[in-house]
Amino acid sequence: MKRLSAGSAAFAAVGGFVLLYAAVLSCFIRLPSGLLLTALLGVALLLTGVFYTRLKKRKWPLGLLCAAFALLPAFMLFLVLYGRCDTASYDEDVLLVLGAGIDGEAVTPQLERRLEAAYAYHLRNPDALLVVSGGQGEGETVSEALAMERWLTARGVPSARILREERSASTYENLANTKALLEQRFTRPYRVALVTSDYHVYRAARLAAAAGLDAVHLHADAE
């Protein structure tokens, strides 16, 4: 059996780790596009390891791959730093909490951190309407929105200050469906802040703009 070179083994090992990370992550959160990109990165790394010897003979493809992989940590750092630069002023009319999957009826750790950030916002701006957004996925016995509402009301948030959006199955649908509900509820201009995990803020902000929702943002720690 031919022994793998150090470079080949390194790429294959990192690729295997990324694929394992994506598999584990899929058990806790429902982020199809994010998980797909993570899995594709793992496959690319794994294949680079498998064909490392051939790629090494042709310098430019290996150099291009190495440059791309080197930029990945920088991009991930950008996402987190961008996400942590909150733009919410705590006087908005609406705070939108984006779902992150539940376990049966219980919120996941990631979703709980988003709810903790929403609850802290509520204490500073109790007049804001809290929109909890998320439908019912596979393995979930209630909608994410209902699970989030229960979490908030258990901590004293009045149910009258909570609006459920429970038809969505993606971040874009979270935002588009919420906008439709708010258009029905408000007869005047309104200001929206959204809360999601720090690494997800950039994508959520771009999707909000695409959905026609002008929103500032507030981050929740990823861990």
Side-chain angles (χ1 to χ4, degrees):
M1 184 175 177
K2 189 175 180 180
R3 187 176 179 181
L4 293 175
S5 67
S8 180
F11 276 106
V14 174
F17 174 79
V18 172
L19 281 173
L20 179 61
Y21 173 74
V24 171
L25 203 61
S26 69
C27 297
F28 297 97
I29 62 174
R30 192 177 70 191
L31 293 173
S33 58
L35 289 178
L36 178 61
L37 290 174
T38 302
L40 287 175
L41 172 63
V43 171
L45 286 164
L46 194 59
L47 290 176
T48 300
V50 172
F51 297 105
Y52 180 81
T53 302
R54 295 181 185 178
L55 290 171
K56 191 176 181 180
K57 293 177 181 178
R58 299 180 179 181
K59 300 295 184 181
W60 70 266
L62 184 60
L64 187 63
L65 283 169
C66 288
F69 295 144
L71 289 173
L72 180 63
F75 178 65
M76 293 175 67
L77 180 61
F78 162 77
L79 291 180
V80 173
L81 292 178
Y82 180 94
R84 287 179 171 270
C85 294
D86 296 337
T87 56
S89 56
Y90 291 88
D91 59 358
E92 290 80 17
D93 302 294
V94 179
L95 179 68
L96 166 60
V97 190
L98 296 177
I102 57 176
D103 183 8
E105 296 185 12
V107 301
T108 58
Q110 181 174 215
L111 181 53
E112 184 164 37
R113 285 186 284 273
R114 296 184 187 185
L115 289 167
E116 288 170 348
Y119 180 65
Y121 181 99
H122 168 74
L123 294 178
R124 293 181 59 176
N125 182 14
D127 293 330
L129 177 69
L130 299 182
V131 179
V132 287
S133 181
Q136 183 175 343
E138 185 177 353
E140 299 174 350
T141 55
V142 298
S143 69
E144 293 178 31
L146 179 56
M148 288 190 276
E149 180 183 37
R150 289 174 176 174
W151 190 98
L152 290 165
T153 55
R155 285 153 184 79
V157 180
S159 59
R161 304 309 308 161
I162 301 173
L163 176 63
R164 292 202 309 265
E165 184 291 297
E166 46 192 346
R167 293 171 36 223
S168 58
S170 68
T171 301
Y172 180 79
E173 290 181 1
N174 287 149
L175 297 157
N177 292 343
T178 295
K179 183 177 185 296
L181 289 176
L182 295 177
E183 292 295 323
Q184 295 174 11
R185 188 176 183 104
F186 287 90
T187 58
R188 58 174 176 80
Y190 56 86
R191 293 171 299 162
V192 180
L194 64 85
V195 59
T196 188
S197 304
D198 51 15
Y199 67 87
H200 189 232
V201 166
Y202 181 82
R203 178 171 178 265
R206 302 286 79 75
L207 289 175
L213 191 64
D214 185 15
V216 294
H217 52 79
L218 179 70
H219 84 278
D221 292 334
E223 296 181 359

